[in-house]
Structures are given as structure tokens and as C-alpha cells.
Amino acid sequence: QKWRANRYLMVLLTRSRFTWLLLSVAVVPLLCLVPQRYFDTTFSLLLSQDQKQVQNQRVSVMTEYFNQAKQWLLGGTYFEKQNQAGTTVGSSLETNKRRENALSTSTAGSSNQKSEYWDSFVDSFTSSALHGDWSSPQVCCKEQGSNGVPEVVSFVPAAKRVVAIGDLHGDFQKAVRAFKVAGLVDEKLNWIGGESVAVQVGDVLDRGGEELRIFHFLEKLKQQAAKQGGALHVLNGNHEIMNVGGRFRYATEGAMEEFHKWEKLHRYGQKLKCMCDSNQAQCRKGIADISSSGLEARKRALRPGGTVSKTFLAHNPVALVVGGSVFVHGGLHPKHLDYGIERMNHETSQWMWGESSNPAVPWFLNGRNAIVWSRMYSMPNEDSCNCEMLQQTLGKLPDTTRMIVGHTVQYPMGINSACGDSVFRVDVGFSSGVMDAEPEVLEIINDREVRRLRAYQSAQVLVSSADAEKRHKSRMRLSE
């Protein structure tokens, strides 16, 4: 009866924002000490039939929190098969009893694993406190190369289905609608795209007030897509480069407030992590003070080596090849390919990570002809596009037949192509901070057929499979 009362008290409390403060102060620190049997009982209640009657999303979030906490306590993965048919709480508890027995004979190395799980739990907790969504960017788990700088993906094999999504500019609701138009997320904002490969062409930042919420959303989808054999790639656009370079001309007041609030929660999360550190006093000394304003918080978070730059930006490419398509925010020129896509991605990552020997913005990211600023192929009037340069550029990339760009708003036309379908322009200005247009996305089937997808309308074929195959063969003959 006590546990039942406690369960309903939790439901009552999770209806208000006050819960996050209460739980963080009273519950989270105690997770370092709570005995195993109390977790088992709580899980049984949270996963009972009563939960379905409550229909409260945050109860589900709390379930995930406790799952993460138990991962940390056990030094292993909890409820690995929870989502599989036929799995019961009882069988899960039996599994974890075996894990407890194994844990008693574990080596000292497991403490590092516990620390990793605990850090992940706290990251998830603070993220949900900010946005009310279960989304935790797993910074610790990203592949890293020399000096801790992430290894950035530059080339990806062709996929059966590829989706390109244009500039998001701080508008979370429109971003969600774009992913729904693409058939990539469900009503609960979880990935349902299976093995689809999605590419968002950059410019998450500026002109809107929910930038960090979008970044957390994208990071969650990356993790979910990978588990289904798919992928979500996010490019860095000119607005990411401007912000890392300390230029906040297009940042809104709401965005400043979001960064300030995020910083406060992040600092508190750091303190929570220290509570399970062997040297709490030393750990707390490394925590910076809260910024005096949203502007200062934004500067600190987005500067090279800043927390947001390292968490959300440094592992993203500025150019990406997926099968026969090359994605870039502005436009690639021949000189960029002479320098090398992998080299540009690596040097951008180094700069954002704060490990570059030169603190200045890399040359290929700066100026009107930079890959994130160029409009050579995206002017609405095709006569103003440099189609000859485009063909030269594509000729330097074997088996690549098209370039997909954002940056220049295609309004009111919507997604369109130019230069004989060699470039597709996907920025339709759907952010409310731009044109507030209806979201559209580009779809590529089997690396050949290209279609435009819009809400409540049939897919529009821009390039048929037959035409694409003819052009591909023609280009192969010319290159021989």
C-alpha cells in the first residue's frame, strides 16, 4: 500500500515543472545509495496496467529515468528485451538478479562503466527538465579520433530511400512537421523511417527560439535511426558557422532565454554528476559559474570548444556524399573538392572542438564563395546559376550525379531543380522566422528517382527512374 501511494504521488507530482526540481534534489542524489529491491518494486508499479489508465507522458519518462538509474547501478544494460513481445517485469527482475550476482564479482573497471551510465542518466534528466522529452545526446559514445576530435562521416553508400530536409531555423513545430511529411517520425516523435537515410542540410540555429530543443530532437532520432539500420545526418550551415564564430545577429530573444535556461540546468547536472564522484570537492571546482545573461550563455556554449559546439555541432559534416548525391548547405566549387571533402570536414570539426591551431574560421567556410555561403547554384532565376561550374564540380566526384543544397529560400516555388536536374534546392523557408511556408522534403528512391513530398498531397516526381538511369549511363560514357 505504501508503494501504491508513492506511485500515485509520483503521478501527481510529475504534472508540474516543480517535480523536476524536487526529484533532482530529493531523489536523484539518492540513486547512488538506493538498494536494488526498491528499484524492482518501483519498476513493477510503473509498468503495471494502472500506468496505461493514467495516460501521462511524463510517467513514461520517469520509467525511463529509473531504467537508466538501474543501468548505472548494475553496470549493465537494463531491460534490453523490454520492448520484445512476451517480456514481463518478472523475467526482467530475474535477469537483473543474475546481473547483481555477476556484479558482486566484477572488477574495479566497472566503476568507470557505472560513472558512464550515471552521466548518461543525468544528461537525460536535465534534457527532459528543459523540454519534457526523453532525449539525451550521448556525447561520451561518439567516435573520436586524435585529440578527442570526433571522426566525421563524409561518404555514405547509396540507400534505398534518402530524404533531404531543408533549413529549420529554430522552429521546432515546423521541424517536426517536416519529419512527419517525410514519414520519418510518428505522433510520439520516434523514428519510424526504418533503413531510410535522412540528411538535414544545416541552419538549425537562428531566427527561432527553440534551437536546443531541435538539436536534442535530432540527436534522439540519430540514435533511434541507427538501431533500425537507418541514419540521420545533420550538416553545419552558415548560421552554425556564424554562431561558433561569435556572430549572433540573427539570434532571437527567445533563443537567448533558452540558452540561459539550458546553461543553468547543465550546471546543475554537472553538480549531480559530482555527487557520485570519488572526489566531490575537486569535481565541483571545475564547474563554471552561471552566465549573467542569455547572450553570455550563448557565447560560452557556442564558442570553439563550448559545450553546445562539442555536443551538437563538431561531429556534423559540412559536405556529405550519399551514393550519387552530394549534400552541402550552400554549394561546392571545384577548388573545394581539390582541397578534399574529408579534409574540410575534419578541419571544421577541429575548429569547433577548440583543437585547431588557427582560431580563425577556416577559409572554405568564410566569404561569399564558401561552401556554406555560396549561391552559385541556388538563385531562383536559373540564368543566374553557374551550371558550367556545377558540372565541373560533379565531375570531380565519381558516380555523383546531383548536388542538394539549402541556404537560399525557394519561395513560393518550393523544392525545385536547376541545371538539367543536376542541383536540387530544398530550403523552402518553412520556419516561422523565415517565410512560414508549408514544409516540403525531397525523396530519392534507389539513388535514381527523385520526388517532392508535401503534406496532404501526392508525391510529385521530379526525375523518373528511367530518366535518371539514362543520364547516369550518359555521364559514365563521357567520363570514360
Side-chain angles (χ1 to χ4, degrees), residues 357-372:
S357 57
N358 185 355
V361 179
W363 70 268
F364 50 84
L365 301 175
N366 196 21
R368 60 184 296 181
N369 291 321
I371 61 176
V372 294

Side-chain angles (χ1 to χ4, degrees), residues 150 152-153 167 199-205 215 218-219 222 233-244 302 308-320 327-331 344-353 364-365 370-373 406-407:
V152 182
V153 175
D167 305 24
V199 182
Q200 194 280 316
V201 298
D203 274 10
V204 173
L205 291 174
F215 277 130
L218 296 176
E219 288 297 321
K222 285 182 183 181
H233 301 278
V234 180
L235 304 188
N236 284 314
N238 63 305
H239 283 264
E240 280 72 52
I241 303 305
M242 282 196 296
N243 277 267
V244 176
L302 284 168
V308 171
S309 293
K310 294 174 73 171
T311 303
F312 298 112
L313 305 181
H315 55 282
N316 293 339
V318 290
L320 175 71
F327 295 82
V328 63
H329 183 71
M344 289 188 293
N345 284 337
H346 177 69
E347 291 183 8
T348 302
S349 182
Q350 273 189 318
W351 173 62
M352 290 183 163
W353 199 263
F364 50 84
L365 301 175
I371 61 176
V372 294
W373 283 100
H407 186 45

Side-chain angles (χ1 to χ4, degrees), residues 17 19-21 24 58 61 65 122-134 261 265:
R17 287 278 182 177
T19 304
W20 306 119
L21 177 61
S24 61
R58 290 190 178 179
V61 172
Y65 284 158
V122 172
D123 288 341
S124 299
F125 182 87
T126 54
S127 170
S128 184
L130 180 62
H131 300 303
D133 182 29
W134 178 257
K261 183 177 180 181
L265 287 167

Side-chain angles (χ1 to χ4, degrees), residues 433-453:
V434 185
M435 302 304 298
D436 201 21
E438 284 299 311
E440 299 181 13
V441 300
L442 191 75
E443 180 185 52
I444 304 172
I445 304 297
N446 293 321
D447 211 24
R448 292 291 186 267
E449 183 174 303
V450 182
R451 307 195 300 174
R452 177 168 68 164
L453 305 184

Side-chain angles (χ1 to χ4, degrees), residues 13 27 58 63 108 130 169 171 219 232 269 307 366 377 435 461:
L13 289 174
V27 177
R58 290 190 178 179
T63 304
L130 180 62
H169 281 305
D171 190 331
E219 288 297 321
L232 168 61
T307 307
N366 196 21
Y377 319 128
M435 302 304 298
V461 177

